[in-house]
Amino acid sequence: MESPKSPLQPPTYGNLITVLSIDGGGIRGIIPGTILGFLESELQKLDGEQARLADYFDIIAGTSTGGLVTAMLTAPDGNSRPLFAAKDIKDFYLEHCPKIFPQPSCTPFPNTTKMVKALSGPKYDGKYLHSIAKEKLGNIKLHQALTNIAIPTFDIKKLQPTIFSSYEVKNKPGLDALLSDICIATSAAPTYLPAHSFETKDPDGKVREFNLIDGGVAANNPTLIAIGETTKQIMRGSSDYFAIKQLDYGRLLVISLGTGTHKEEEKYNANGAAKWGLLGWLTNAGSTPLVDVFTQASADMVDYHLSVIFQALHSEKNYLRIQEDTLTGVVSSVDIATKQNLEDLVKVGENLLKKPVARVNLETGLVESSDKETNEQALQRFAKLLSDEKRLRDIRSPSPHGYAKNPRDFKLNLVPEAYSTAEK
């Protein structure tokens, strides 16, 4: 079958609202990158080698390293196709992470060096990240993304989140920043990389100033942000959603990808933390406890919230959260970008595909394997749903870009209620 070269038709012509979300996590972005490479390969089996993830999702959201992946998947090349295929993400991280996070040479007092660095400024100067982001993304702006995207940051001057949403650009043209600036800003994790400031100018000449740090401060797991952005379009009566009067979570098809968490029982404990001052919270056990705590807490709460909703609606099969929660040692770091550690993270992603789908146990709050389906099998199932949804929209849409010449070429019940994947 020929690849779907038409843009994704609006949700109003389909039965689902398709969402992809990618957490923050530094070099551990290689884990969702590996997962996305597999998903895109499954879509290519169905729709041709030129199929790309941006062809199938109504919105892609990413925080920090996930924001960088989001930009890579949706920034257009000269032919209005994505600059990067999903399979390229892994190689990008292997090549560039050692330069973004250069490892220090051996010193006789490594802990002292870390403490001094924590007091004097961010751990890394960010210069290489700035240069590679600008080199790859050039002058591409938010509104040019090939599908809708949402990338959270936090404005430390206003002390409030700033979400760069392509849905919002028409209403707030001051948000139409360069994708390179957005990626640099959402990746500016406190203590690791410097805050980022820049300005935009709207068509009327009004200048907007941004003073931004890592989006993980606001939402390390941006799935709810993605859902919120689509909900606002429904509330406003957007033409893309004119047949949808209110958001039905059973209509959502959501893939949410984590970047892994550490579960070492002795990495931190209350007895040790009770003695920490500023330095202890900034550098301990080879990482930054303060950043670890608030990013992981926010990510887990989003997963818990969505698990409750999808289970309540008996729509568990519409929500897929893939997260490796057994990382230990160096591989759990966000910045130890040695060749060996990066290769180990690739293996983590590959092994995660073979693991059973895991869901939150609402009684204990713990994530447990609850399905005989593996993550790989779940992604294959989602790929089929995404492909079917795209073809259905092409059939229904009056747009000349649809590639299905005759509805009989695609046998599918066109009654929306019959298409829901929710378990009755």
Side-chain angles (χ1 to χ4, degrees), residues 99-222:
K99 300 171 187 176
I100 296 172
F101 302 107
Q103 300 305 292
S105 56
C106 294
T107 60
F109 306 105
N111 289 334
T112 302
T113 301
K114 288 180 182 178
M115 288 185 182
V116 171
K117 187 68 175 175
L119 286 174
S120 61
K123 195 172 181 180
Y124 306 98
D125 61 24
K127 291 180 180 179
Y128 188 80
L129 174 61
H130 288 219
S131 66
I132 196 64
K134 292 183 181 298
E135 174 190 330
K136 298 296 183 182
L137 297 173
N139 293 319
I140 300 171
K141 288 191 170 184
L142 176 62
H143 80 273
Q144 295 173 278
L146 293 172
T147 191
N148 293 296
I149 64 174
I151 300 177
T153 63
F154 191 85
D155 195 310
I156 56 174
K157 188 171 183 179
K158 297 180 179 179
L159 288 180
Q160 66 181 31
T162 297
I163 300 170
F164 288 92
S165 166
S166 53
Y167 276 127
E168 290 294 304
V169 169
K170 290 181 181 179
N171 299 322
K172 302 175 182 177
L175 284 176
D176 196 20
L178 293 171
L179 281 181
S180 58
D181 280 325
I182 295 171
C183 288
I184 293 165
T186 194
S187 301
T191 77
Y192 287 97
L193 289 162
H196 187 52
S197 64
F198 59 92
E199 294 180 343
T200 61
K201 183 181 291 187
D202 69 18
D204 296 327
K206 184 178 179 181
V207 174
R208 179 167 176 178
E209 177 189 20
F210 297 92
N211 296 271
L212 305 174
I213 60 172
D214 189 351
V217 174
N220 203 52
N221 175 347

Side-chain angles (χ1 to χ4, degrees), residues 29-30 33 36 69 72-73 85-94:
I30 227 171
L36 291 170
V69 171
M72 293 170 69
L73 294 174
K87 65 181 177 61
D88 299 328
I89 296 171
K90 177 180 70 176
D91 291 336
F92 178 90
Y93 274 71
L94 290 171

Side-chain angles (χ1 to χ4, degrees), residues 1-3 40 43-45 47-52 85:
M1 182 180 294
E2 187 178 346
S3 168
E40 191 167 89
L43 289 165
Q44 289 168 348
K45 290 177 184 178
D47 295 327
E49 292 184 1
Q50 297 306 310
R52 296 290 183 267

Side-chain angles (χ1 to χ4, degrees), residues 295-416:
T295 56
Q296 194 53 52
S298 67
D300 284 348
M301 287 305 294
V302 170
D303 182 31
Y304 183 83
H305 173 80
L306 289 173
S307 294
V308 169
I309 291 176
F310 278 94
Q311 289 186 43
L313 295 173
H314 305 290
S315 300
E316 296 97 323
K317 293 289 186 178
N318 286 34
Y319 172 58
L320 178 62
R321 172 70 172 170
I322 300 181
Q323 173 74 307
E324 176 57 74
D325 63 354
T326 62
L327 300 181
T328 59
V330 173
V331 79
S332 68
S333 162
V334 299
D335 68 325
I336 300 182
T338 62
K339 180 180 178 181
Q340 182 62 56
N341 194 38
L342 293 171
E343 290 174 349
D344 287 344
L345 285 168
V346 173
K347 293 176 183 176
V348 169
E350 293 171 344
N351 292 335
L352 185 55
L353 285 168
K354 306 297 182 183
K355 289 189 174 184
V357 169
R359 296 192 178 96
V360 174
N361 182 320
L362 300 184
E363 298 298 323
T364 65
L366 299 176
V367 177
E368 301 172 351
S369 297
S370 59
D371 204 314
K372 292 181 180 179
E373 188 178 45
T374 65
N375 289 317
E376 187 174 72
Q377 291 168 333
L379 288 168
Q380 289 169 336
R381 176 170 58 82
F382 270 68
K384 182 63 166 62
L385 291 169
L386 289 165
S387 177
D388 286 353
E389 174 70 11
K390 177 168 173 55
R391 280 183 265 167
L392 174 64
R393 294 187 192 184
D394 282 338
I395 291 170
R396 288 177 169 175
S397 172
S399 168
H401 297 295
Y403 64 85
K405 297 180 180 179
N406 190 315
R408 288 177 296 180
D409 295 338
F410 183 54
K411 295 179 180 179
L412 183 70
N413 189 331
L414 298 186
V415 179

